[in-house]
Amino acid sequence: MIARRLIVAGRVQGVNFRGWVRERAAARGVRGWAGNEPDGTVEVWLQGEPDAVAAVERAVREGPAHARVERVDAQDVAPREDLDGFARR
């Protein structure tokens, strides 16, 4: 199991970006969350099997048609034991 923390910049708030990420994560069995940040970015925490996390990260980097992803800052992080499912924060 691996975990990745992404900070997604662009037109990603107010366009259902978090719900879109949640759908992709749930379809792959990836746990974590997507939450709006005060600076207009969205923080995404992805945790699960390496292939599944990579697939969701690739989707996040493209984004849905109604959003505009300009930049994704990503880092490997330590997996958490307290995650159950994928939350929209």
Side-chain angles (χ1 to χ4, degrees):
M1 178 172 307
I2 66 164
R4 300 270 291 161
R5 179 177 178 259
L6 315 176
I7 301 297
V8 186
R11 185 171 174 248
V12 292
Q13 287 192 10
V15 293
N16 195 36
F17 187 84
R18 294 173 298 153
W20 181 87
V21 173
R22 183 176 63 186
E23 289 173 4
R24 270 115 200 104
R28 296 273 189 173
V30 172
R31 294 176 285 168
W33 69 80
N36 287 343
E37 294 296 312
D39 65 358
T41 62
V42 172
E43 178 186 28
V44 178
W45 183 283
L46 303 173
Q47 182 170 308
E49 294 303 317
D51 289 345
V53 169
V56 177
E57 183 174 343
R58 281 192 303 274
V60 166
R61 290 179 180 279
E62 271 192 40
H66 51 276
R68 186 180 72 246
V69 175
E70 294 176 356
R71 187 182 77 250
V72 177
D73 297 325
Q75 67 185 84
D76 293 323
V77 291
R80 298 172 54 146
E81 294 189 24
D82 63 344
L83 295 179
D84 183 31
F86 197 92
R88 180 178 164 178
R89 293 185 174 177

